[in-house]
Amino acid sequence: MTDLDIRSEASEPRSIENWLSEHPDCPENYELTTCPSNKRKRRKARRAGDGSQRRALGDIQPNSMPPTSPTRDSTGTKSTKILQKNATTPKATRGRRGKQPEVLATPRAIRQPSLLADKPAFDPPKYAGAVLEDDNHEDDSSLDSEDSKQNSSKQSSQRALSPRKARAYMQGAEISVKVAKIPSNIYPFPPAAQNLRNDLEALQKRKGLLAQSLRRHAQAKLGNDDEDALYKNQEATVNPEETFSHLQTWYTILDIEGAAEECEVEDCAEASWNAEVHCKILREALKGHWRSNNVWYRDITTAKVFDKELLPKVAGLSAKTKLVDFAIMVRPQESSPLEDALERKCASMPSKTINQTDASYIRNNPIAISMEIKRPAGNEDVSVVELQTWVAAHFNMLKVLLSSNNASGKSELPILPLIQVQGHTWSLWIAEFKCAKNQIIIHRRISLGSTDRIVGIYQIIASVQRLAQWVAEEYQPWWIKATLGLDPKTLESNLEVEDKVASPVELVSAGITA
């Protein structure tokens, strides 16, 4: 061992004694300097008190532990803020493992029940917990947000029902609603609609749809669709006003064709199709002659069945559900005897409406033809169920009107045409009510045309005009006599059924719109 090591060992005890002598004996006189620590600080201490209050584990007596502090309560958590806003909901339970309250303000907190736990037996009238799903339908929550907020917790516990099951349940309802093809060996086509069917099928042969004055304009646009039979025979005398009207219709149809193509390419919503395509077609078809004869249309996208008693007693169909998009209706002229009669009838009804909906913009105008829209990728099964439900409510409302006029059993219910649109394709369905069997049969389908071709749009316009003729000549007189108890001949009507100057196909030609 060297002299340096000996000196180091001798000096080490001496330096410790000197260091101890420099510090006071009482801990209260310590002068401590804290150095910053890189350790992350805890948000909140688990225990209160400093180190002097800590005890050894052996010194702790039973039941002498300090109480635990409450968990995060009102420090700004999301659930606490929601509960503070909603005074009707219970307060949060104290304790980390306490049962949390059910938050009603957000539907995400509510779980769907098991599909197997509450699967009912096949008893449609008693099964009232179903909600019809439509993934391709736009959300209408902005129109009735208050109702959706109030019913969110109730609807969340309801079992979703597929359109196919809804159709099956509807066939077993008290008033069954069935769909049959045209032609059908089981359900014969109603004779009351045979003339209408013949005329609409004749329009699909594309004879005489365009005026001769349009040939020069049409040849460059139609391509393979151009043929001699497409044009009407040359008139003996050319009317400049009619020629101008034909040109207006031509350019309107070109605009409709472009809008339909744009809606398809851009995958537009159903509302865009309605505004850009369907409204323009209906207005072009019904303006002028038919509007002056009490036939017009209305966008009824927001209309709902006002009473659930009008709906089929099946599958819990909600009266708050939007069903169809347009209606062709009887709309009398202002201050006419028919308008006064309809307003008196509407005021006498407990529901203050003469339709299956109490929408203010149509409650005075009898609905004649209903129209359901689906985009090209829409679910046709949903469309079928919606039309089934709507037409069943329509027939039930007509029976209510007959009862109010003491005409139950004295007058048979008329047929009800239904227009179904799937993307570009328009088709007609005919609904009839069989009183003997308490049954509704929907016959489908009769082609009306397509909006992806110019000739197809002409066919649609001509078909809508033929349907307007049915409203003016058949449905309106029946409605006035059966529900108002009046003679239709005593009321003002610009369309005289007896004074026909042309065949039905000629009358509805798309060239005659003025």
Side-chain angles (χ1 to χ4, degrees), residues 216-441:
R216 180 172 57 88
H217 302 273
Q219 286 178 343
K221 288 285 186 180
L222 297 182
N224 295 332
D225 287 338
D226 186 35
E227 54 186 14
D228 293 337
L230 188 62
Y231 303 95
K232 293 189 297 185
N233 296 329
Q234 180 68 41
E235 298 87 355
T237 58
V238 179
N239 189 340
E241 293 182 359
E242 284 190 2
T243 301
F244 179 73
S245 176
H246 297 162
L247 285 175
Q248 281 186 318
T249 301
W250 169 258
Y251 289 116
T252 299
I253 289 177
L254 291 181
D255 181 64
I256 293 173
E257 184 200 24
E261 182 181 5
E262 179 181 347
C263 288
E264 181 185 21
V265 172
E266 299 294 336
D267 193 22
C268 291
E270 187 176 298
S272 298
W273 280 88
N274 290 343
E276 299 292 337
V277 180
H278 307 134
C279 275
K280 292 181 180 180
I281 289 178
L282 293 174
R283 181 170 291 270
E284 183 64 30
L286 299 178
K287 69 180 183 180
H289 176 73
W290 296 111
R291 185 171 187 177
S292 64
N293 286 277
N294 304 333
V295 183
W296 195 234
Y297 77 99
R298 184 70 68 225
D299 184 336
I300 58 171
T301 303
T302 59
K304 301 174 178 63
V305 177
F306 73 89
D307 192 344
K308 65 179 181 180
E309 296 299 324
L310 297 175
L311 298 173
K313 304 299 186 294
V314 58
L317 295 174
S318 173
K320 297 296 182 182
T321 303
K322 172 259 164 196
L323 294 174
V324 298
D325 296 273
F326 290 92
I328 296 177
M329 60 187 180
V330 177
R331 185 177 183 270
Q333 304 299 315
E334 293 185 4
S335 303
S336 64
L338 179 56
E339 183 184 48
D340 295 339
L342 292 177
E343 289 180 352
R344 289 193 302 268
K345 183 66 175 180
C346 185
S348 67
M349 299 297 294
S351 56
K352 306 303 179 185
T353 180
I354 55 179
N355 291 311
Q356 64 269 36
T357 177
D358 58 356
S360 59
Y361 48 81
I362 200 174
R363 62 188 183 91
N364 288 338
N365 307 124
I367 295 176
I369 302 172
S370 302
M371 183 173 170
E372 166 61 12
I373 309 296
K374 280 289 178 287
R375 297 186 304 155
N379 191 336
E380 187 176 7
D381 285 332
V382 174
S383 178
V384 173
V385 174
E386 289 175 343
L387 284 174
Q388 284 178 309
T389 307
W390 182 260
V391 77
H394 195 169
F395 276 125
N396 287 333
M397 188 61 192
L398 289 178
K399 291 195 292 185
V400 171
L401 293 171
L402 293 178
S403 300
S404 66
N405 192 38
N406 297 322
S408 297
K410 299 179 182 179
S411 178
E412 293 185 359
L413 294 176
I415 62 167
L416 291 178
L418 306 169
I419 297 177
Q420 195 262 350
V421 180
Q422 184 81 28
H424 290 289
T425 305
W426 289 48
S427 60
L428 182 73
W429 302 359
I430 301 292
E432 64 167 337
F433 187 87
K434 292 183 176 294
C435 298
K437 298 182 179 180
N438 211 23
Q439 186 180 73
I440 298 174
I441 306 297

Side-chain angles (χ1 to χ4, degrees), residues 445-500:
R445 61 187 54 144
I446 301 172
S447 178
L448 300 181
S450 178
T451 56
D452 59 354
R453 302 187 343 267
I454 296 176
V455 175
I457 299 175
Y458 267 102
Q459 290 173 322
I460 293 174
I461 292 177
S463 299
V464 172
Q465 291 176 342
R466 177 59 181 92
L467 291 169
Q469 180 185 357
W470 173 85
V471 175
E473 296 182 358
E474 298 185 37
Y475 186 77
Q476 176 180 295
W478 175 90
W479 207 97
I480 294 172
K481 184 177 181 180
T483 65
L484 300 179
L486 300 175
D487 186 358
K489 295 180 181 180
T490 62
L491 297 175
E492 284 185 353
S493 179
N494 295 327
L495 182 63
E496 296 293 341
V497 180
E498 296 82 1
D499 298 336
K500 295 182 179 179

Side-chain angles (χ1 to χ4, degrees), residues 71 91-102:
T71 56
K91 294 183 179 180
T93 306
R94 297 172 68 102
R96 185 178 297 103
R97 296 185 180 180
K99 184 179 180 181
Q100 294 299 324
E102 185 178 6

Side-chain angles (χ1 to χ4, degrees), residues 43-45 69-84 92-94 100:
R43 294 184 179 179
K44 196 172 184 179
S69 60
T71 56
R72 299 166 64 184
D73 46 9
S74 59
T75 58
T77 62
K78 183 177 180 180
S79 299
T80 305
K81 291 182 179 180
I82 294 177
L83 292 173
Q84 290 176 351
T93 306
R94 297 172 68 102
Q100 294 299 324

